[in-house]
Amino acid sequence: MRALVSTLCMAGLLAACTPADRDQVTRSAARSVVSRVVVQQFPGVPVQPAIDCIIDNATTPELVGLASDAVTGPTAATTEVVTRIASRPPTIQCLVGQGLPALLRTGA
């Protein structure tokens, strides 16, 4: 019930925002859940650069889904989405550009 109330409040806040504000709020919420997945799944990897690459290469529906997961916390599906985004060629290029080969070796 609490998750439902939180989701409804988030939806209400987003409805009152400009498109740019909605994008920023969505990205911020998605970042919070992606950071938890990166820390859990890829220990020792510099978190902020990995999050940036993953968020920048996520589709809008993926970002919205990840932002929703921020309300309830990461699930196995969240981890799957983050791993799928991390394994895309543009994300891999970004990670390599950030000097994060350790993430690439751990199975992303």
Side-chain angles (χ1 to χ4, degrees):
M1 182 65 168
R2 187 175 186 172
L4 176 62
V5 172
S6 296
T7 302
L8 291 174
C9 287
M10 183 179 211
L13 289 172
L14 288 175
C17 297
T18 66
D21 290 340
R22 279 193 297 268
D23 182 62
Q24 194 60 30
V25 169
T26 301
R27 285 176 168 270
S28 178
R31 280 181 180 283
S32 72
V33 77
V34 169
S35 69
R36 289 184 265 175
V37 172
V38 169
V39 167
Q40 180 183 11
Q41 295 297 312
F42 310 108
V45 169
V47 176
Q48 196 57 49
I51 294 169
D52 292 342
C53 289
I54 291 166
I55 293 294
D56 290 347
N57 287 287
T59 65
T60 299
E62 288 169 335
L63 288 171
V64 170
L66 290 169
S68 296
D69 291 346
V71 174
T72 58
T75 64
T78 309
T79 301
E80 183 180 315
V81 170
V82 171
T83 302
R84 184 173 57 240
I85 297 166
S87 67
R88 292 183 185 144
T91 309
I92 292 170
Q93 289 174 345
C94 177
L95 295 168
V96 169
Q98 294 292 324
L100 299 175
L103 178 61
L104 302 175
R105 285 193 301 269
T106 59

